[in-house]
Amino acid sequence: MPYVESAVRGPQIVAAARAVLMRDGVAKTSLRAVASEAGIPLGTLQHVFPSKQQLLQAVIEQVVEDISEVLRSSADTESGLAHAIAQGLRNFWSTLVEGQRGLQVLQYELVTHALRTPGLEDLARMQYRRYAEVVRQWCTEAADRSHERSAVPYDRLARVLVATVDGLILQQVSDPDAARSEQDLDAAIDMLVALAAPAPR
């Protein structure tokens, strides 16, 4: 096998690990299974990620970055805060929830794993802070561009928005019903816009 630098091999291994984790779950995932999925020798994988914990940390960081990037690109901030909330949530849902049950189950499993594993607790905290910060940024930007203000601080609005979507996702992956979820998402958007109560400055 030709030599490939760790900087290149790392993302390949993380992608293989995500596939195995979505298929088998955290408990049943082994370095050997990931190496097989990646088509590389176990020793090559262990050179880049000597332990399962290090590999899981890399997967968590990549999942958080991918979801954060979708959140960043979801909202149109040119048409006011209410529009940004509604469009941002609908775009996020259609991109990362509909048809993405495996990814969402994996995300929650990784959060639980991080919370239960000494030394990884900060990863769960980082995950939700990152999501809330991205949402806070586009809520603030949307309001500023339209010369609006929110009735509640933007960091609180962002945390409530993330928590609301989290709950809807858990219900959808536990008891899938696309029509119900669409109606519930509309209701959540109405509640969040009412919480923000955008008004001219």
Side-chain angles (χ1 to χ4, degrees), residues 69-92 134-135 137-146 148 161:
E69 183 54 40
V70 171
L71 280 170
R72 271 191 288 273
S73 62
S74 289
D76 173 7
T77 60
E78 300 287 345
S79 303
L81 181 55
H83 177 76
I85 291 170
Q87 190 208 40
L89 284 181
R90 290 191 178 109
N91 285 349
F92 174 81
V134 171
V135 173
Q137 287 174 358
W138 53 251
C139 284
T140 304
E141 183 178 319
D144 285 348
R145 287 185 172 182
S146 297
E148 296 175 330
L161 186 151

Side-chain angles (χ1 to χ4, degrees), residues 59-71:
V59 171
I60 291 170
E61 290 170 351
Q62 187 60 58
V63 167
V64 170
E65 184 54 39
D66 290 350
I67 291 175
S68 295
E69 183 54 40
V70 171
L71 280 170

Side-chain angles (χ1 to χ4, degrees), residues 17-158:
R18 284 176 66 159
V20 175
L21 285 161
M22 285 197 293
R23 184 183 69 226
D24 300 337
V26 172
K28 293 182 178 178
T29 292
S30 66
L31 293 181
R32 189 174 300 280
V34 174
S36 177
E37 180 75 22
I40 60 175
L42 178 59
T44 300
L45 185 151
Q46 290 176 315
H47 176 72
V48 182
F49 296 106
S51 71
K52 180 178 175 179
Q53 290 304 106
Q54 289 173 306
L55 177 56
L56 288 176
Q57 179 172 341
V59 171
I60 291 170
E61 290 170 351
Q62 187 60 58
V63 167
V64 170
E65 184 54 39
D66 290 350
I67 291 175
S68 295
E69 183 54 40
V70 171
L71 280 170
R72 271 191 288 273
S73 62
S74 289
D76 173 7
T77 60
E78 300 287 345
S79 303
L81 181 55
H83 177 76
I85 291 170
Q87 190 208 40
L89 284 181
R90 290 191 178 109
N91 285 349
F92 174 81
W93 194 272
S94 64
T95 304
L96 278 186
V97 182
E98 291 177 354
Q100 297 285 347
R101 183 179 186 277
L103 173 62
Q104 293 301 332
V105 171
L106 171 61
Q107 176 188 281
Y108 288 117
E109 193 172 2
L110 289 172
V111 170
T112 303
H113 176 78
L115 288 171
R116 288 184 174 275
T117 304
L120 293 186
E121 304 94 331
D122 282 349
L123 287 174
R125 184 181 302 113
M126 174 270 291
Q127 177 174 354
Y128 280 93
R129 284 184 177 177
R130 177 91 63 88
Y131 298 158
E133 177 58 20
V134 171
V135 173
R136 186 197 66 76
Q137 287 174 358
W138 53 251
C139 284
T140 304
E141 183 178 319
D144 285 348
R145 287 185 172 182
S146 297
H147 306 289
E148 296 175 330
R149 59 172 175 77
S150 169
V152 296
Y154 292 106
D155 57 346
R156 182 182 306 158
L157 176 61

Side-chain angles (χ1 to χ4, degrees), residues 172-195:
Q172 175 61 15
V173 299
S174 301
D175 181 19
D177 185 327
R180 182 203 65 218
S181 290
E182 183 176 353
Q183 293 172 348
D184 291 350
L185 185 64
D186 287 342
I189 288 168
D190 289 343
M191 289 187 294
L192 289 161
V193 170
L195 176 65

